[in-house]
Amino acid sequence: MCMRYLLILFLCFTTVYSYSQDSTNTKLPTRVKGTIISSSTQAPLSEVNIVNINQVVGTSTNDDGIFEIKAVANDTLLLSYLGYKTIKVRVTNDWLKFGNTKIAMTELALALEEVTVKQLQLTGYLKVDMLAVPIQSNNRYRISGLPGQGYEAGRPNIATKVLGAIFNPADFLYNMFGKNPNEMRKLKKMKQDDQIRNQLAKRFDREMLLVLLQVNKYDLDEIVNQCNYSKDFINTANDLQILDAISECYEEYKVISRNNKRNKGKKKGRA
């Protein structure tokens, strides 16, 4: 009788231990696998960009449309591909349990906007023709005594921007970064992931940045603008250059924020 009770007790402990192990494992990052196909042709899509928004890691599909990426249940994957509608897919427990699943992406009809090309009317006189050529300056200037790599000089009233950064740097930086510290911490992870960097280097649509940083297009442009980058830079930079610009500005904000806190502490100590 005693042996029977011991056996039952042993089985109970084994069951509880196994259950706790399973529960723990579901919370640990694992790898989810999928195949991406075209909804119209059912053919696999290669080089589709996949980013786990929660884990901030990226990958892409192979020639057979197959990918693997680190994920846990309820993570969101952002899938983007040129000519197709960008979609978000939630990682479910069933997906993690049963393995590979097919995901269909829908083609996006691309409509090119009409572009008006202003033709230069050249006269043959060098001095006259030089005045007709638009000037775009993207030189950067270092200001002694200020942290960071410097400021970019563009055509729009750069003097006002730089002076604003000198005399009141903390206010606009706090409005941009201080209210969203968790999202901005993703910048460091994004910069460290080679897959994400490679994807961003080929993109100019800001779509992935908007999702990862949880901001809209206007706010993203305003962040770069307030960090003293010219409109020429904003309009021509790829997504990776925008990421690096925001990251640099965020590091400057952290330095200014620490200095402000240190100065406040000194003032309280004197009081």
Side-chain angles (χ1 to χ4, degrees), residues 121-136:
Q121 300 294 328
L122 300 180
T123 64
Y125 293 96
L126 182 59
K127 289 185 178 180
V128 176
D129 293 340
M130 284 180 65
L131 296 175
V133 177
I135 299 174
Q136 293 184 348

Side-chain angles (χ1 to χ4, degrees), residues 177-193:
F177 299 131
K179 295 180 180 179
N180 299 298
N182 293 330
E183 300 302 332
M184 292 304 161
R185 287 191 190 100
K186 291 182 180 179
L187 287 171
K188 190 172 183 180
K189 288 186 178 181
M190 291 164 65
K191 285 174 66 65
Q192 293 173 345
D193 191 287

Side-chain angles (χ1 to χ4, degrees), residues 131-157:
L131 296 175
V133 177
I135 299 174
Q136 293 184 348
S137 175
N138 289 320
N139 296 322
R140 291 181 63 79
Y141 295 92
R142 183 76 169 85
I143 299 178
S144 179
L146 290 182
Q149 300 300 316
Y151 297 86
E152 180 169 350
R155 294 180 67 185
N157 200 2

Side-chain angles (χ1 to χ4, degrees), residues 17-259:
Y17 177 77
S18 300
Y19 177 79
S20 63
Q21 287 291 101
D22 291 341
S23 300
T24 303
N25 288 338
T26 56
K27 296 179 181 179
L28 295 174
T30 183
R31 298 190 73 80
V32 66
K33 185 176 182 180
T35 303
I36 301 181
I37 61 173
S38 170
S39 61
S40 57
T41 64
Q42 300 300 306
L45 298 175
S46 63
E47 298 301 323
V48 176
N49 297 322
I50 302 103
V51 174
N52 186 325
I53 298 173
N54 304 87
Q55 306 291 336
V56 196
V57 292
T59 188
S60 58
T61 56
N62 61 19
D63 292 339
D64 298 319
I66 299 173
F67 72 91
E68 284 190 36
I69 193 168
K70 184 171 70 173
V72 296
N74 295 320
D75 278 356
T76 299
L77 306 184
L78 178 72
L79 280 56
S80 61
Y81 189 61
L82 185 63
Y84 284 75
K85 184 179 180 181
T86 298
I87 59 174
K88 294 179 183 178
V89 180
R90 188 171 66 88
V91 177
T92 63
N93 285 313
D94 286 343
W95 188 358
L96 292 170
K97 183 177 180 180
F98 297 110
N100 197 343
T101 187
K102 284 188 177 181
I103 304 170
M105 296 187 70
T106 305
E107 275 189 89
L108 186 66
L110 297 178
L112 296 177
E113 296 182 0
E114 183 179 352
V115 178
T116 302
V117 179
K118 184 178 179 181
Q119 188 174 7
L120 295 176
Q121 300 294 328
L122 300 180
T123 64
Y125 293 96
L126 182 59
K127 289 185 178 180
V128 176
D129 293 340
M130 284 180 65
L131 296 175
V133 177
I135 299 174
Q136 293 184 348
S137 175
N138 289 320
N139 296 322
R140 291 181 63 79
Y141 295 92
R142 183 76 169 85
I143 299 178
S144 179
L146 290 182
Q149 300 300 316
Y151 297 86
E152 180 169 350
R155 294 180 67 185
N157 200 2
I158 188 65
T160 303
K161 288 185 184 179
V162 174
L163 289 175
I166 294 173
F167 294 112
N168 197 13
D171 287 348
F172 76 79
L173 286 173
Y174 175 77
N175 289 333
M176 295 297 110
F177 299 131
K179 295 180 180 179
N180 299 298
N182 293 330
E183 300 302 332
M184 292 304 161
R185 287 191 190 100
K186 291 182 180 179
L187 287 171
K188 190 172 183 180
K189 288 186 178 181
M190 291 164 65
K191 285 174 66 65
Q192 293 173 345
D193 191 287
D194 290 337
Q195 285 284 351
I196 292 180
R197 289 184 65 85
N198 290 338
Q199 292 178 25
L200 292 176
K202 306 175 202 174
R203 302 176 67 108
F204 293 82
D205 58 8
R206 314 293 189 246
E207 192 170 41
M208 191 181 297
L209 288 175
L210 298 180
V211 175
L212 287 169
L213 297 178
Q214 295 296 298
V215 296
N216 58 41
K217 181 67 165 59
Y218 174 82
D219 289 339
L220 184 67
D221 288 347
E222 188 62 19
I223 288 172
V224 184
N225 179 57
Q226 292 291 343
C227 289
N228 294 299
Y229 285 86
S230 67
K231 290 193 179 297
D232 290 339
F233 174 82
I234 296 173
N235 292 333
T236 59
N238 62 38
D239 288 5
L240 179 58
Q241 291 171 317
I242 294 292
L243 170 66
D244 288 338
I246 295 174
S247 180
E248 178 185 314
C249 193
Y250 180 48
E251 293 304 318
E252 291 182 13
Y253 157 73
K254 291 196 296 184
V255 171
I256 293 172
S257 181
R258 283 197 297 267
N259 290 339

